[in-house]
Amino acid sequence: MISSGFLEFNGAVPVYNHACDSNPHNVSLISLPVIRKGFDSDVRLFRRGICSMRDFRLSVVCATPQVSIMDHITPVSDLNSDDSMRPSIETALILIRHGESMWNEKNLFTGSVDVPLTRRGVEEAIEAGKRISNLPIDYVYTSALIRSQMTAVLALIQHRCKKVPIIIHNCNKQAEAWSQIYSDEARKQSFPVIRAWQLNERMYGELQGLNKQEIAKRYGEEQVHEWRRSYEIPPPEGESLQMCSQRAVGYFKEHIEPHLQSGKHVMVAAHANTLRSIIMYLEKLTSRQVIGLEVSTGVPLLYIYKEGTFMKRGSPVGSSEAGVYALTRARIFYLSIILCLDLLNLALYRQKLDEMSC
């Protein structure tokens, strides 16, 4: 039987293979479906890659406190089909809005102007990195603007695998050739960071550089709110969210989603409106629902991609906060022992069935 202590754990579990602790390809998201058989339990592990149980160490992949392990239980009705026995790939999508920029601090419309982070923005990016430091990451995407790139790099250097973030220069053939990496080992120990202008913040037109409070006094708060939050109405000479969405979601579908479909884990560091657009697509929000959607600076959001569906898992809690994300080493060890005992009981149970059939 799986103990009640084990069932208290929420969400999926990443498994690290100690044979090569720094290699992200030894990190797999697994689900623990439980099929009850009288007083016994059958635990099936879905994972990518092959490594022995003795090389496993359990850590935490982020989930919200509302997520139950019941979300990962395969319905009994599905067990009769051949598809239920096939590995089910789950991949992580991490979205992060850049930390506070210098124009955020001054309450100015920033838009497509390339403004760096404040000291607080740097701290937000570092904290975001700590929150996702145990999540597997294969590819990183940022906009072409420095504030999103700073956020991505500062977050990535907090990661437990200690890989090096490397900005990919692919604007022309010469840039690609000159930035080529000729060491397979160095390539394996790096995070490829891919920049895309399509992920840039929406262009605020004639509002860029102007004070938000002063603009609200001049045009009225209702008009400014409409420019900033509506889906179809653009600011003067600027982009609407709908226009921004066409380029951001189009790029996401063409370049990012295929990685998730192939089993790779992706982090996207971008901006409020490009992320609102992507979240609108992920959660199938309407143009009315997206009006109330806010994305905070420096707060990572986790989605699990599985079988063509994006499942929202909220924001990982920092290491200083209590929650299902901040398990102690003792607790992780305890869960590991429980899992091993359950697997051992399962093996003995099946051996007994084989003896009885003979």
Side-chain angles (χ1 to χ4, degrees):
M1 292 286 290
I2 293 183
S3 73
S4 59
F6 181 79
L7 290 176
E8 289 174 3
F9 180 74
N10 295 326
V13 180
V15 179
Y16 294 89
N17 184 351
H18 277 291
C20 185
D21 195 53
S22 63
N23 190 339
H25 297 290
N26 293 318
V27 182
S28 302
L29 288 176
I30 65 171
S31 296
L32 302 178
V34 180
I35 310 107
R36 296 200 175 276
K37 298 180 179 178
F39 293 102
D40 293 278
S41 296
D42 182 0
V43 180
R44 297 184 293 112
L45 302 181
F46 293 155
R47 64 180 178 85
R48 294 190 299 112
I50 300 175
C51 48
S52 64
M53 280 300 297
R54 66 177 178 273
D55 290 328
F56 281 179
R57 182 179 73 198
L58 297 184
S59 186
V60 181
V61 70
C62 302
T64 56
Q66 292 77 20
V67 177
S68 168
I69 197 170
M70 294 297 292
D71 294 339
H72 302 278
I73 295 179
T74 302
V76 175
S77 59
D78 292 346
L79 299 178
N80 297 325
S81 66
D82 293 337
D83 291 341
S84 66
M85 300 306 294
R86 298 174 185 172
S88 179
I89 297 176
E90 293 185 358
T91 50
L93 171 65
I94 305 164
L95 305 179
I96 305 178
R97 181 187 174 190
H98 63 81
E100 181 189 64
S101 74
M102 296 185 73
W103 275 14
N104 289 148
E105 183 182 45
K106 295 178 180 295
N107 201 32
L108 305 180
F109 283 100
T110 310
S112 295
V113 181
D114 206 357
V115 178
L117 301 180
T118 61
R119 182 179 296 275
R120 176 182 174 183
V122 169
E123 293 171 353
E124 287 177 336
I126 291 172
E127 177 59 25
K130 292 177 180 178
R131 293 186 175 200
I132 63 171
S133 61
N134 283 318
L135 292 179
I137 299 173
D138 294 305
Y139 292 95
V140 181
Y141 285 84
T142 76
S143 76
L145 302 177
I146 190 64
R147 55 190 183 274
S148 74
Q149 295 173 37
M150 289 178 69
T151 299
V153 170
L154 288 168
L156 289 171
I157 62 178
Q158 313 305 316
H159 203 274
R160 66 181 297 279
C161 72
K162 305 301 180 184
K163 293 168 69 175
V164 179
I166 295 182
I167 305 294
I168 303 300
H169 295 276
N170 54 6
C171 56
N172 56 55
K173 290 184 178 180
Q174 183 175 352
E176 285 188 45
W178 286 18
S179 60
Q180 185 71 28
I181 300 173
Y182 293 95
S183 166
D184 290 339
E185 185 61 26
R187 190 181 298 109
K188 290 177 183 178
Q189 297 302 318
S190 65
F191 286 121
V193 181
I194 302 156
R195 301 173 298 172
W197 70 266
Q198 292 90 336
L199 298 177
N200 282 10
E201 179 59 288
R202 65 187 282 205
M203 202 270 284
Y204 267 98
E206 295 177 355
L207 299 183
Q208 291 183 168
L210 301 180
N211 185 278
K212 295 176 183 178
Q213 190 172 0
E214 293 176 2
I215 291 297
K217 290 179 180 178
R218 185 187 306 175
Y219 295 100
E221 292 186 2
E222 186 175 343
Q223 176 64 75
V224 174
H225 180 77
E226 194 171 55
W227 284 335
R228 297 185 65 193
R229 292 293 175 261
S230 68
Y231 184 65
E232 298 175 342
I233 301 174
E237 301 301 321
E239 281 186 305
S240 65
L241 182 61
Q242 183 180 32
M243 297 162 67
C244 177
S245 179
Q246 288 174 351
R247 58 177 169 85
V249 175
Y251 185 88
F252 181 89
K253 289 180 178 179
E254 183 178 354
H255 297 278
I256 299 175
E257 194 165 359
H259 286 312
L260 299 168
Q261 293 169 343
S262 67
K264 301 298 183 181
H265 311 284
V266 180
M267 183 182 99
V268 179
H271 307 265
N273 287 292
T274 44
L275 292 179
R276 288 175 71 214
S277 300
I278 292 172
I279 292 170
M280 183 180 180
Y281 167 69
L282 301 181
E283 300 186 17
K284 297 179 171 59
L285 302 179
T286 66
S287 57
R288 183 177 296 273
Q289 289 173 320
V290 78
I291 292 176
L293 178 61
E294 297 283 347
V295 182
S296 300
T297 57
V299 178
L301 301 173
L302 174 67
Y303 290 82
I304 301 298
Y305 177 85
K306 180 179 180 181
E307 298 176 353
T309 301
F310 290 93
M311 297 171 283
K312 186 178 181 179
R313 288 295 181 259
S315 178
V317 177
S319 57
S320 62
E321 302 178 55
V324 296
Y325 322 99
L327 296 181
T328 62
R329 289 180 180 270
R331 177 64 170 165
I332 294 172
F333 178 74
Y334 168 75
L335 294 177
S336 304
I337 295 297
I338 293 298
L339 176 59
C340 291
L341 290 176
D342 283 322
L343 292 173
L344 178 60
N345 287 335
L346 173 60
L348 294 174
Y349 175 78
R350 287 180 170 171
Q351 183 180 2
K352 185 177 180 180
L353 287 179
D354 291 341
E355 293 174 352
M356 291 174 63
S357 63
C358 295

